[in-house]
Amino acid sequence: MISYRPPNPSIPTDFEQIWSEKNTKRQKNSFKLKWATPKEDIHHFEIICDIDGVGLNPVHVKGGRRTAEIIGLEAGTRYNCSISAVLRNGQISDRAKCIAYTAPGSPLNMVQTKASTNGLYLRWMPASGGQSSGGQSYVIRYRSIQETGTNKQDSDNAETQTIQLTQKSGSDKPAREESQVLLDNAEETASDSRYEKITTVQDKYNLENLVPGTNYEIRIFAIAHDYPSLPLELEQATKPGKPGEVTIEKTLFAELISLSWGESEGNVTGYEIEYGRDDNTTRQPLKSSASNCTIDNILPGVNYSYKVYAVSNGKRGDPSHFIAATDPEEVHDLTWDTSSNTLTWERPDGDVDSYDVTVQTGTDIKPYHTTTCSQTLQDVKKGEPYVFSVVAISNGKASKKVSKNQTIAPGTPEFEKEKTSVTSTSVTLHWTLPGGKVKQYALHHQPVDEDMNLVTRWWNKKTDTVKTRCKTLENLTPGIKYRFEVFAEVDGARDEKGDVIEVVTAPSKPVVNYEASTNSFKLSWNRINEPSVDKITVAYTQGDIRPQRQTIKDVSVTSWSINNLQPGTPYQAEVFFHCGDKASSCGLIDITTDPVPPETFYTTSVSTSTANIEWSKPNGQYDHMVVTFNDLTSKKTSEKQIKELKHRCTNLHPASWYRLSVVTVKGSKRSAIKSYDFCTAPLPPKDISINPQAHTANIQWGYPNKRRDDGIRFEIKYWEVDSNGCEKTVFSETLQTTLESLTPGSQYLVQVRAVFHGTKNEAFKGKSFITEPPSVTDVHVEGFTNYADVSWRPPVQGTVKGYDVAFWPADNPSAKRKTKVKAPADRGSIEGLKRGTKYIVVVKSVVEGLKNQGADEKAFYTVPSQPSMGNIDTSPVSITLKWSRKKDEPNVTEAIVTYWQPGSTQQTKRVSTRDPQQLLIYPLKPNTCIEGYVELVCGDKTSNKTHWSATTGMALKGMM
């Protein structure tokens, strides 16, 4: 069976690349294809693009589409494209083919641009793409966009120039013609005939024959396979042309200068002008929109360098250079100094090399040349008219001439000081005749006050015109220094300084008051308003004594005190105001100082009922004294007028307070009150008793009606009788005290006095006592058979007349005995002791029958008697010893038996006296001689040895 196969679909027609009409639509990584759709019902289209046989993945497009954009391609590359139609049953048509190109990459940023007057040098980064067949080149389009009216380009007459520089040979002409058509079509709406066009294969180009000072719009396209890229756009301007020759024109002012120059070639928006001294054009440039300029602040007489630049589009062209010097300025303040005959002037602004000076009097003209601003003239005639002229010279140019008419002043008159007369309100002056012509004199006078400012001094300055050489000035102020200055004048000319004299008018009389005290008086006076008063003198005297003077330099002082005067004494004082050698006085003033009370009071004697009070003589003078006596307890008062310097008070009470007040009287003046408080003596103490110890003593006494707060206390003085030591004093508020730090064994004397607020009753209670003697130390006792030796260390401090050595048996204290030893001995013996007995001994210091208390007891032992040997019983193997001791030696405690046999060591046995006095020595060898001795022990003492010997019996039969 034959199956039916439908025919393949039709081939798509009009398959080609689509270009946008706008250059901005060119894509370097994609292109757009179009085709005509077959009549069949197409499911989809399959498009394949390859580069020289290297294909890409097929692209499927829906059947209803007639265009497709292929993306992800390489820039500036040729692609072989084919398309086929695919039915729904999968049948596919033959492929239609076309060639498509991607646009190359745009040129990258500019690397370098350089402008000249008629050209622009351009250099850019190469564009990407175009490495495949077809090569790469660049098209440069440019046009002027200068907006100045004179240089607008006519867009209708612009010529288009094309320079074709091919990169490869053998390019086919039809392709180039086609690319030219494509470029023209693509650029049809993006450019017009105003653009110039240049083609190059390099990444740099130098545009030439451009208009100076003109701004250009430049567009650079990359061309690959005859297809253009998007443009690199920029604006660049050429430098303006150099201005024409610069000329300078003078102005009416030395500090101004006017410049003009020829216009520059090409477009110019303005000009900048730099200028400075010589060739140093460092000042801020000036700007001008025209071809001329006026410059101010120009210094006269200076060489200046000027540079003019044309400016267009923010760029300056090459400058035109010009150097010229300004005229010097005329001098200022031409002045004549009469005192030194010197012509001076102020240096003009700018540079000055020297000055030409001419001096004319009548027809006589003298020239001078100087480099300074002064000229001293010789042989100038006083009182004659002169004409002085000065011209400044700089860089060979002369300034305007400045002239001055000057009449030379006559000489200066001098005051005749010896003829000057002065009163308190007027001054008469005389002066000499000066040299030269004189028509009149000017006499200035003004008060001289350092506190006045310049305005006040000028305001107070007065001038009198005098035809003669004498003038009296009246209505002046007293005590004021005046300054007078006289000038000689002729035709208004006079010296700058005249002769000066200063004269002080006599001061006014001071008005003085005073205040007196005991040792001084104070003078006060009216404030001085006369500035020429230069000092004040205060004088004072007493009686016929020569006056004393004190000078006060500070005239603002209005008071002065005179010190160290005698109280109650009349004085005379006087105050003077001085103006130079002139003085005024207030007249003598009588002043009496105040009297003073006595300075010192003292009590010459005081008891329980009377007191004698004396005082020192008051300083200065007085007539008498008033004494007031007050009992401060009963408040009773009495008054008495006396001249003596003492007062006796009677019928007083013991231990009571009183007050004595003294006032010194001189005429009607009374001194201040001087008071003296004193108290009477208290009653003496009674019934003193003393309890002495070794280093202390407790003392008690009695006093009638003693109260705790009655103000009475007691002074206890004591001293060691037989010593050169000083007297000691203690105080007590109560009726007892304890004396400490006494010397043991010493005799003391003590006195107790009653004291009321420092006032003592000379009557006292006294008593002597002896302190306990000091104790001995280091007592040492050595007992023997029936005696003992005792030694001790005597006391280091205190007094000892002897020692009592007391001793007794330890078990019988009632049998105490003693022996006496005189000092300074430090040992003694005790005799009549019993043997074998324990004794107690005490050594006490003795002085005047007193013994020290609390001495230490010392024990010792006597040597016991020898034991008496009894029968010695022997046997072949033992020996029994027996002995006895005296019964009246109670403190023997044991017996020591020591024995030995030939060839053996010594042995010792102890037997208590409480046991039978015998010892069995066992076992021994028969027929052996044994020797030994027996001793008795009492404390640390041992009796003499009692020796014995014995022989054991013969051995019995049976013992062998």
Side-chain angles (χ1 to χ4, degrees):
M1 183 176 183
I2 300 174
S3 61
Y4 173 76
R5 181 183 182 191
N8 290 333
S10 302
I11 299 174
T13 61
D14 298 329
F15 182 51
E16 62 182 350
Q17 182 178 2
I18 300 174
W19 283 97
S20 171
E21 294 180 354
K22 300 294 183 180
N23 288 335
T24 56
K25 296 296 184 179
R26 297 171 186 158
Q27 301 295 329
K28 63 179 181 179
N29 298 111
S30 67
F31 50 71
K32 194 172 184 180
L33 302 175
K34 74 171 183 172
W35 60 89
T37 304
K39 298 179 180 180
E40 295 87 349
D41 184 12
I42 304 301
H43 179 266
H44 67 271
F45 295 99
E46 182 183 76
I47 302 174
I48 297 176
C49 300
D50 65 70
I51 305 173
D52 297 332
V54 179
L56 302 177
N57 292 332
V59 177
H60 289 180
V61 182
K62 292 182 179 181
R65 298 285 301 273
R66 290 184 297 173
T67 61
E69 185 175 1
I70 310 302
I71 62 176
L73 305 178
E74 295 182 8
T77 305
R78 172 180 171 174
Y79 283 88
N80 299 315
C81 302
S82 64
I83 186 172
S84 61
V86 181
L87 299 177
R88 293 184 181 277
N89 61 5
Q91 287 184 293
I92 185 169
S93 69
D94 293 335
R95 308 189 73 82
K97 298 180 180 180
C98 73
I99 302 298
Y101 298 90
T102 56
S106 300
L108 302 183
N109 296 334
M110 295 298 296
V111 175
Q112 182 179 8
T113 60
K114 185 176 181 181
S116 62
T117 304
N118 299 102
L120 291 172
Y121 175 75
L122 307 175
R123 184 176 180 183
W124 57 89
M125 295 291 292
S128 60
Q131 288 78 11
S132 60
S133 63
Q136 180 170 304
S137 62
Y138 299 94
V139 171
I140 302 174
R141 287 181 175 272
Y142 64 95
R143 65 165 180 162
S144 169
I145 57 173
Q146 191 73 24
E147 295 300 329
T148 59
T150 58
N151 288 324
K152 271 191 176 180
Q153 294 183 355
D154 188 353
S155 59
D156 296 333
N157 298 327
E159 296 182 357
T160 301
Q161 299 180 5
T162 303
I163 301 175
Q164 184 71 38
L165 301 176
T166 58
Q167 185 177 6
K168 295 175 59 180
S169 61
S171 299
D172 56 319
K173 184 175 181 182
R176 292 195 175 276
E177 292 177 354
E178 181 183 357
S179 67
Q180 186 64 50
V181 173
L182 290 174
L183 181 61
D184 291 341
N185 291 335
E187 295 296 318
E188 181 178 359
T189 59
S191 62
D192 52 39
S193 59
R194 289 178 295 174
Y195 282 94
E196 302 287 345
K197 177 180 175 183
I198 296 173
T199 302
T200 179
V201 296
Q202 299 181 344
D203 56 3
K204 58 185 177 179
Y205 197 80
N206 188 18
L207 299 180
E208 299 177 342
N209 299 321
L210 303 181
V211 179
T214 302
N215 197 19
Y216 285 89
E217 180 186 73
I218 302 171
R219 308 178 74 189
I220 304 175
F221 300 86
I223 306 296
H225 304 289
D226 296 323
Y227 284 88
S229 68
L230 294 175
L232 170 63
E233 298 180 347
L234 68 152
E235 291 184 7
Q236 287 292 322
T238 54
K239 292 171 56 177
K242 180 178 179 181
E245 181 181 359
V246 181
T247 59
I248 186 169
E249 298 178 5
K250 292 185 178 180
T251 64
L252 296 177
F253 304 98
E255 65 273 12
L256 297 179
I257 190 171
S258 179
L259 301 178
S260 62
W261 53 87
E263 293 186 351
S264 301
E265 179 186 2
N267 294 308
V268 176
T269 58
Y271 296 92
E272 289 185 356
I273 303 95
E274 291 181 350
Y275 68 98
R277 296 173 67 96
D278 297 332
D279 197 24
N280 185 14
T281 57
T282 58
R283 295 193 179 186
Q284 185 71 20
L286 301 177
K287 294 183 180 181
S288 175
S289 59
S291 59
N292 56 72
C293 177
T294 298
I295 304 175
D296 58 1
N297 295 326
I298 293 293
L299 293 177
V302 176
N303 259 341
Y304 277 95
S305 173
Y306 306 92
K307 291 182 179 180
V308 181
Y309 299 84
V311 179
S312 179
N313 300 303
K315 292 186 177 181
R316 298 202 308 186
D318 296 332
S320 290
H321 193 198
F322 177 74
I323 296 177
T326 56
D327 292 337
E329 185 183 36
E330 65 271 15
V331 300
H332 309 290
D333 297 333
L334 189 60
T335 305
W336 171 255
D337 185 4
T338 303
S339 61
S340 61
N341 290 338
T342 301
L343 187 66
T344 60
W345 55 90
E346 291 291 332
R347 190 182 188 278
D349 293 337
D351 292 350
V352 176
D353 298 332
S354 60
Y355 303 92
D356 288 340
V357 181
T358 58
V359 179
Q360 180 179 359
T361 175
T363 58
D364 185 15
I365 299 176
K366 291 183 179 180
Y368 297 90
H369 186 77
T370 179
T371 57
T372 65
C373 294
S374 64
Q375 179 66 50
T376 301
L377 305 179
Q378 304 294 332
D379 301 328
V380 178
K381 299 178 180 179
K382 294 183 179 293
E384 297 295 332
Y386 282 83
V387 178
F388 304 115
S389 301
V390 179
V391 175
I393 307 297
S394 178
N395 296 311
K397 294 184 176 183
S399 70
K400 296 179 181 179
K401 181 169 68 174
V402 177
S403 300
K404 180 180 179 62
N405 294 325
Q406 179 70 44
T407 298
I408 305 303
T412 302
E414 295 182 358
F415 284 109
E416 297 178 300
K417 297 181 180 181
E418 65 277 4
K419 295 182 180 181
T420 302
S421 62
V422 181
T423 67
S424 60
T425 58
S426 67
V427 174
T428 301
L429 301 172
H430 298 264
W431 55 86
T432 61
L433 179 67
K437 297 179 180 180
V438 178
K439 290 187 177 181
Q440 61 187 14
Y441 299 93
L443 180 62
H444 297 334
H445 73 276
Q446 65 183 112
V448 179
D449 188 350
E450 299 298 333
D451 295 332
M452 288 185 181
N453 56 38
L454 294 176
V455 175
T456 305
R457 292 183 184 179
W458 177 85
W459 185 259
N460 292 331
K461 185 176 181 180
K462 297 180 180 179
T463 303
D464 293 306
T465 301
V466 184
K467 296 296 184 179
T468 63
R469 293 185 289 110
C470 176
K471 178 66 176 178
T472 298
L473 301 169
E474 298 180 340
N475 299 321
L476 303 181
T477 304
I480 297 295
K481 179 188 289 186
Y482 284 89
R483 183 179 187 272
F484 300 93
E485 187 173 11
V486 64
F487 301 87
E489 295 181 345
V490 57
D491 297 332
R494 68 181 185 188
D495 282 344
E496 293 181 0
K497 294 183 180 181
D499 191 25
V500 176
I501 186 174
E502 290 185 350
V503 179
V504 180
T505 56
S508 58
K509 180 179 178 181
V511 178
V512 180
N513 297 314
Y514 71 90
E515 296 176 1
S517 62
T518 56
N519 297 103
S520 64
F521 58 80
K522 180 180 179 181
L523 300 173
S524 59
W525 51 85
N526 54 301
R527 182 176 297 276
I528 300 174
N529 294 320
E530 302 167 5
S532 294
V533 174
D534 54 5
K535 64 180 178 179
I536 302 170
T537 300
V538 176
Y540 68 97
T541 184
Q542 191 267 320
D544 297 331
I545 300 175
R546 181 180 180 182
Q548 299 188 32
R549 295 179 179 271
Q550 296 185 6
T551 301
I552 304 171
K553 296 293 186 180
D554 185 3
V555 296
S556 65
V557 174
T558 58
S559 63
W560 194 260
S561 295
I562 307 299
N563 301 311
N564 301 320
L565 305 179
Q566 291 294 321
T569 304
Y571 289 88
Q572 286 185 324
E574 193 171 6
V575 177
F576 299 87
F577 288 171
H578 295 270
C579 294
D581 57 351
K582 302 171 184 64
S584 62
S585 170
C586 67
L588 291 175
I589 303 173
D590 293 326
I591 304 173
T592 300
T593 54
D594 295 338
V596 295
E599 182 67 25
T600 306
F601 287 81
Y602 46 91
T603 304
T604 57
S605 65
V606 65
S607 66
T608 58
S609 59
T610 63
N612 288 330
I613 310 300
E614 297 183 7
W615 53 86
S616 60
K617 182 179 180 181
N619 291 330
Q621 301 178 14
Y622 62 93
D623 297 332
H624 60 270
M625 288 170 284
V626 176
V627 177
T628 303
F629 181 72
N630 295 323
D631 186 339
L632 299 180
T633 303
S634 64
K635 308 300 181 181
K636 293 181 179 181
T637 301
S638 62
E639 187 174 281
K640 185 179 181 180
Q641 179 176 309
I642 62 175
K643 288 189 176 182
E644 295 83 5
L645 301 177
K646 60 184 178 178
H647 183 69
R648 178 172 177 78
C649 306
T650 58
N651 300 320
L652 307 180
H653 301 286
S656 298
W657 279 104
Y658 296 89
R659 176 173 295 163
L660 190 70
S661 300
V662 179
V663 175
T664 305
V665 180
K666 175 64 177 178
S668 61
K669 292 191 173 184
R670 296 169 65 94
S671 71
I673 299 174
K674 185 74 172 183
S675 297
Y676 176 68
D677 292 346
F678 66 95
C679 59
T680 53
L683 297 173
K686 298 180 179 180
D687 304 329
I688 187 169
S689 64
I690 302 174
N691 181 20
Q693 304 294 325
H695 296 279
T696 62
N698 184 264
I699 304 175
Q700 296 181 347
W701 56 90
Y703 193 85
N705 301 322
K706 178 70 174 73
R707 300 188 310 274
R708 176 174 297 180
D709 57 350
D710 57 5
I712 297 176
R713 65 174 182 164
F714 300 93
E715 178 189 78
I716 301 95
K717 291 186 177 181
Y718 63 96
W719 61 92
E720 192 174 348
V721 175
D722 296 332
S723 173
N724 293 326
C726 62
E727 180 182 81
K728 297 181 180 180
T729 303
V730 296
F731 291 90
S732 175
E733 303 288 340
T734 63
L735 299 177
Q736 65 176 6
T737 190
T738 298
L739 305 182
E740 298 179 346
S741 301
L742 303 181
T743 302
S746 297
Q747 183 178 6
Y748 283 85
L749 184 62
V750 63
Q751 296 177 352
V752 181
R753 289 181 175 85
V755 181
F756 179 67
H757 294 286
T759 301
K760 301 178 185 178
N761 191 326
E762 294 302 326
F764 61 87
K765 283 294 181 179
K767 195 171 185 179
S768 64
F769 65 92
I770 298 176
T771 55
E772 288 185 4
S775 301
V776 299
T777 57
D778 296 339
V779 177
H780 180 71
V781 183
E782 184 67 36
F784 297 99
T785 55
N786 54 1
Y787 68 95
D789 289 337
V790 183
S791 63
W792 58 87
R793 178 176 293 177
V796 177
Q797 183 183 16
T799 302
V800 176
K801 296 295 185 66
Y803 304 95
D804 279 358
V805 182
F807 58 95
W808 61 89
D811 55 356
N812 188 14
S814 61
K816 181 186 293 185
R817 294 183 295 166
K818 68 178 179 180
T819 182
K820 297 183 179 293
V821 178
K822 291 184 177 182
D826 59 356
R827 63 189 64 246
S829 294
I830 301 173
E831 297 179 351
L833 304 179
K834 292 195 302 181
R835 303 184 67 162
T837 304
K838 179 181 179 181
Y839 283 89
I840 303 298
V841 66
V842 175
V843 180
K844 293 186 177 182
S845 302
V846 180
V847 58
E848 303 297 337
L850 290 179
K851 301 177 183 178
N852 71 292
Q853 303 299 319
D856 294 333
E857 297 179 350
K858 192 78 172 180
F860 70 94
Y861 297 86
T862 54
V863 178
S865 302
Q866 273 184 305
S868 298
M869 296 302 297
N871 295 329
I872 300 175
D873 297 334
T874 63
S875 71
V877 294
S878 66
I879 294 176
T880 300
L881 296 177
K882 296 182 180 179
W883 66 86
S884 63
R885 64 180 181 86
K886 292 184 178 180
K887 298 299 182 180
D888 59 352
E889 298 179 4
N891 298 114
V892 176
T893 57
E894 64 181 353
I896 301 175
V897 179
T898 304
Y899 63 92
W900 63 89
Q901 56 184 336
S904 64
T905 59
Q906 181 175 286
Q907 297 185 38
T908 300
K909 302 290 184 177
R910 290 181 177 272
V911 180
S912 173
T913 56
R914 293 190 298 270
D915 298 328
Q917 300 298 292
Q918 63 182 18
L919 177 65
L920 175 63
I921 301 175
Y922 176 85
L924 298 175
K925 293 180 180 180
N927 197 23
T928 300
C929 181
I930 303 300
E931 295 180 355
Y933 54 86
V934 179
E935 299 171 294
L936 295 179
V937 177
C938 179
D940 59 344
K941 302 299 180 183
T942 305
S943 68
N944 291 333
K945 301 173 182 177
T946 301
H947 291 269
W948 58 270
S949 65
T951 302
T952 56
M954 299 296 292
L956 301 178
K957 292 181 179 180
M959 295 178 62
M960 302 296 293

